[in-house]
């Protein structure tokens, strides 16, 4: 157990939260596995108001009237010491049909031009690998996925759009993700899924959870 | 029976104690932005502290009661009248069927809470009826109250109560928040570290339940951060590249990519709900032991009075 996934920095986040941060420069699947494994274990303990996993960090929120950041840090260290989360079992696999390009993917031309690839090649590349859902938020159902292939990396729009339709699939630097709801947004949109990622009226409102895996099926 | 919304005001939302425990799915806990004033209003009319009530931001709400009710107003100071008679803040009042309540605009604070004995009825989502506008959940069809809406009121739960004077929170248009350093504190320039705690900021008109964009001295980082998006909490002060901080509020985003410079302490989170556009906002440095003492003190001060409530 000498991988970097074992050695996060645990620091206070104000008086009622603790941040666990792996401080990596690049995305690491092992670290993300550890984040989700640790998050699940911490949430099971019932000690926390929120346990929020990120790509390479995790925040747990507690009630300062019931526990301190010191005891929280100790709890996290104990849980980390007692488990190897780097091979955590990932969640379910969800196939997501995507219509790439055209009106559903207004930034497809830009990604083609920047990568020097044809649209078909971009589609093939973007849908080649299985992604994992690394983190949810900033809005309900927004699914931050593991990195897109390097050729597709592209900065955000200089000026965000006021409205990005629900189901839009975008690229921001090395990240790729799905908009769960219509919202303002600055990601480069290359396609859209007709599936509803978040639907408050559905029995299970979230199609995806952090830890799940996603495969895009071009339509 | 119901109340009728004659004028919905700037923004009136159905709120309860919120839906904590879903930030990992992108759903903020939300709920009453000023939990203390909300709890007081409910307590006064004999409701459990977390019974759904109306949160009226900035003012302008006019409603008609279609039955006799016990009501109470708490929070922001709005000049409010029932049938033309001034309504006191923080006091249970009897109103009659047909009475019309009008709320003028706030003089201090941002949000007033109108509790009605029996509470407001609405559709729950994940255990809470709190309205969360970005996802259209809670409230009436996930929206703010509109002129013409009829809102169902439940059956009274208990007797009206009084509030000792000492328990009434004092609000002004200069909100002082105790805060501890956030995870990226060390990235701030030395000058910024100093004036974050000495100069007041002003809440701009870009202020809503999600956050407040503050204006003041530029807050700068020593080195530009290359942050991967990471979890974010209500009461976090974020520093974007333009140096004008953003304070995350009750409905704040669950993740963010800017430096988290400060975190408001748990005991002061209720005050976040009373930041009106134009208000001055100051941060006062709090240290770990102090935050815990303040929280315990405030919790025990209100615990006997309002069963089940804590900050």
């Amino acid at each position: 157990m000498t991988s970097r996934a074992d050695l996060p920095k645990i620091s206070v986040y104000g008086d009622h939260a603790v941040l666990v941060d792996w401080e990596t420069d690049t995305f690491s699947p092992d670290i993300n596995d550890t984040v989700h494994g640790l998050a699940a274990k911490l949430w099971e303990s019932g000690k926390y108001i929120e346990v929020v996993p990120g790509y390479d960090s995790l925040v747990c929120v507690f009630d300062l009237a019931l526990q301190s950041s010191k005891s929280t840090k100790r709890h996290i260290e104990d849980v980390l010491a007692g488990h190897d989360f780097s091979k955590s079992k990932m969640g379910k696999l969800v196939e997501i049909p995507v219509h790439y390009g055209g009106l559903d993917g207004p930034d497809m031309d830009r990604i083609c031009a920047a990568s020097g690839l044809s649209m078909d090649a971009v589609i093939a590349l973007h849908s080649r690998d299985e992604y994992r859902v690394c983190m949810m938020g900033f809005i309900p159902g927004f699914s931050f996925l593991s990195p897109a292939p390097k050729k597709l990396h592209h900065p955000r729009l200089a000026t965000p759009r006021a409205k990005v339709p629900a189901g839009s699939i975008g690229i921001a630097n090395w990240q790729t993700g799905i908009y769960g709801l219509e919202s303002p947004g600055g990601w480069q949109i290359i396609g859209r899924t007709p599936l509803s990622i978040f639907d408050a009226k559905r029995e299970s409102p979230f199609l995806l959870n952090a830890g799940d895996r996603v495969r895009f099926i071009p339509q | 029976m119901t109340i009728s919304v004659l004028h919905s005001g700037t923004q009136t939302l159905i709120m309860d104690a919120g839906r904590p425990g879903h930030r990992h799915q992108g759903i903020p806990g939300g709920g009453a932005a000023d939990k203390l004033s909300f709890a007081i209003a409910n307590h006064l009319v004999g409701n459990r502290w977390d019974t759904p009530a109306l949160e009226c931001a900035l003012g302008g709400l006019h409603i008609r009661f279609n039955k006799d009710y016990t009501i109470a107003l708490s929070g922001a100071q709005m000049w409010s009248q029932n049938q033309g008679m001034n309504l006191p803040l923080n006091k249970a009042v009897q109103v009659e069927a047909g009475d019309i309540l009008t709320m003028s605009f706030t003089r201090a604070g941002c949000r007033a809470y109108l509790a009605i004995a029996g509470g407001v009825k609405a559709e729950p989502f994940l255990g809470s009826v709190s309205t969360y506008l970005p996802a259209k959940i809670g409230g009436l069809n996930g929206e703010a109250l509109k002129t013409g809406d009829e809102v169902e009121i439940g059956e009274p739960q208990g007797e009206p109560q009084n509030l000792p004077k000492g328990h009434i929170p004092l609000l002004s248009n200069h909100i002082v928040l105790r805060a501890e350093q956030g995870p990226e504190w060390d990235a701030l320039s030395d000058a910024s570290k100093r004036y974050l705690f000495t100069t007041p900021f002003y809440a701009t008109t870009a202020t809503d339940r999600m956050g407040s964009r503050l204006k003041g001295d530029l807050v700068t980082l020593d080195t530009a951060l290359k942050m991967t998006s990471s979890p974010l909490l209500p009461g976090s002060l974020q520093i974007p590249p333009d140096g004008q901080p953003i304070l995350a509020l009750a409905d704040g985003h669950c993740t963010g990519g800017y430096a988290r410079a400060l975190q408001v302490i748990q005991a002061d989170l209720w005050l976040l709900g009373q930041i009106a556009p134009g208000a001055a906002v100051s941060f006062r440095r709090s240290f770990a032991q102090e935050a815990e003492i303040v929280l315990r003190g405030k919790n025990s001060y209100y615990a006997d009075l309002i069963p089940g409530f804590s900050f």
Side-chain angles (χ1 to χ4, degrees):
Chain A
M1 301 231 296
T2 53
S3 84
R4 293 176 68 190
D6 295 328
L7 303 164
K9 186 175 143 198
I10 305 176
S11 49
V12 294
Y13 182 171
D15 66 333
H16 61 285
V18 162
L19 170 74
V20 188
D21 193 348
W22 276 261
E23 301 188 303
T24 55
D25 298 330
T26 51
F27 175 77
S28 150
D30 275 0
I31 288 176
N32 197 249
D33 281 352
T34 308
V35 167
H36 291 297
L38 177 62
K41 231 15 201 201
L42 292 175
W43 186 242
E44 271 170 26
S45 76
K47 286 167 168 270
Y48 302 104
I49 299 169
E50 304 271 2
V51 176
V52 200
Y55 276 104
D56 51 13
S57 62
L58 175 155
V59 166
C60 47
V61 182
F62 54 89
D63 182 348
L64 180 60
L66 303 178
Q67 66 189 91
S68 65
S69 27
K70 222 185 220 161
S71 63
T72 302
K73 273 178 162 179
R74 209 174 314 122
H75 181 224
I76 294 169
E77 281 161 3
D78 287 351
V79 173
L80 272 172
H83 297 81
D84 179 6
F85 291 117
S86 62
K87 299 285 177 284
S88 295
K89 223 173 139 224
M90 299 301 280
K92 63 184 186 293
L93 172 67
V94 182
E95 294 197 333
I96 308 242
V98 183
H99 182 243
Y100 284 100
L103 288 175
D104 288 331
D107 301 317
M108 179 59 100
D109 290 349
R110 194 172 302 117
I111 299 294
C112 291
S115 61
L117 297 173
S118 68
M119 182 164 135
D120 286 344
V122 168
I123 293 173
L125 199 53
H126 190 259
S127 58
R128 184 189 65 192
D129 299 327
E130 204 173 273
Y131 296 94
R132 68 178 69 201
V133 181
C134 295
M135 169 168 95
M136 303 293 284
F138 58 108
I139 48 166
F142 192 102
S143 315
F144 290 90
L145 305 179
S146 50
K150 203 160 187 167
K151 278 207 119 161
L152 302 180
H153 295 186
H154 203 276
R156 289 178 173 81
L157 297 173
T159 309
R161 287 189 173 87
K163 267 185 190 179
V164 176
S168 291
I169 288 150
I171 285 174
N173 301 314
W174 55 266
Q175 299 172 314
T176 187
I178 315 171
Y179 282 77
L181 283 176
E182 180 186 286
S183 87
W187 291 39
Q188 306 279 352
I189 304 301
I190 58 168
R192 192 175 169 210
T193 176
L195 292 186
S196 170
I197 304 294
F198 174 77
D199 181 354
K201 298 199 164 58
R202 194 163 55 199
E203 196 182 342
S204 114
F206 303 93
L207 183 69
L208 298 170
N209 279 302
D212 287 346
R213 292 160 298 140
V214 161
R215 183 172 281 285
F216 291 124
I217 313 291
Q219 299 296 295
Chain B
M1 279 302 278
T2 64
I3 58 172
S4 306
V5 180
L6 305 182
H7 193 283
S8 57
T10 310
Q11 186 184 66
T12 303
L13 302 170
I14 296 174
M15 284 294 161
D16 59 15
R19 49 181 77 78
H22 298 282
R23 295 190 84 79
H24 65 283
Q25 290 162 316
I27 309 256
D34 169 359
K35 206 162 90 163
L36 174 60
S37 300
F38 161 80
I40 287 172
N42 268 320
H43 173 70
L44 290 169
V45 300
N47 288 346
R48 259 179 62 120
W49 77 270
D50 54 359
T51 303
L54 299 185
E55 176 182 281
C56 180
L58 299 175
L61 174 68
H62 296 190
I63 55 171
R64 186 179 62 230
F65 300 101
N66 296 321
K67 195 186 158 198
D68 296 0
Y69 288 115
T70 303
I71 65 162
L73 276 169
S74 191
Q77 288 175 29
M78 296 175 190
W79 188 40
S80 303
Q81 298 187 319
N82 188 56
Q83 294 297 90
M85 301 290 283
N86 288 351
L87 268 179
L89 260 186
N90 299 305
K91 199 170 180 342
V93 174
Q94 305 297 322
V95 297
E96 292 176 6
D99 280 5
I100 291 176
L101 175 146
T102 59
M103 289 163 87
S104 181
F105 284 85
T106 176
R107 291 174 298 173
C110 183
R111 293 181 175 86
Y113 292 88
L114 172 64
I116 301 165
V120 167
K121 289 190 162 174
E123 188 67 27
F125 175 71
L126 298 175
S128 163
V129 300
S130 288
T131 318
Y132 175 54
L133 296 173
K136 293 194 171 69
I137 55 183
L140 300 183
N141 301 316
E143 292 178 10
L145 293 191
K146 296 187 300 295
T147 299
D149 277 348
E150 300 279 319
V151 184
E152 286 278 338
I153 306 300
E155 287 302 311
Q157 306 162 8
E159 293 300 308
Q161 305 286 325
N162 281 314
L163 190 70
K165 261 214 163 67
H167 287 74
I168 294 172
L170 288 178
L171 295 173
S172 81
N173 285 326
H174 188 160
I175 306 272
V176 182
L177 300 162
R178 283 167 285 203
E180 288 187 11
Q181 42 186 261
E184 283 77 44
W185 166 263
D186 287 339
L188 297 177
S189 67
D190 285 342
S192 296
K193 283 178 184 167
R194 271 195 308 279
Y195 58 64
L196 264 182
F197 290 115
T198 48
T199 48
F201 294 85
Y202 290 89
T204 64
T205 51
T207 295
D208 58 15
R209 282 183 50 92
M210 298 183 86
S212 178
R213 186 107 204 188
L214 305 181
K215 207 165 171 54
D217 284 349
L218 289 188
V219 181
T220 52
L221 305 180
D222 262 348
T223 44
L225 279 181
K226 248 183 71 189
M227 253 181 81
T228 309
S229 302
S230 177
L232 181 72
L233 302 175
S236 291
L237 187 75
Q238 286 189 287
I239 313 296
D242 70 2
Q244 295 293 334
I246 304 167
L247 185 58
L249 305 183
D251 283 350
H253 285 161
C254 299
T255 64
Y258 299 133
R260 295 156 291 190
L262 293 179
Q263 175 61 42
V264 174
I265 65 170
Q266 187 179 337
D268 283 353
L269 290 177
W270 66 279
L271 265 173
L272 297 175
Q274 295 299 353
I275 301 171
V281 179
S282 292
F283 298 97
R284 222 207 70 206
R285 188 160 196 165
S286 162
F287 294 91
Q289 298 86 337
E290 184 200 9
E292 200 172 331
I293 292 164
V294 171
L295 181 68
R296 286 187 196 284
K298 290 181 77 160
N299 274 346
S300 65
Y301 193 57
Y302 283 96
D304 290 343
L305 193 72
I306 309 179
F309 173 78
S310 64
F311 283 89

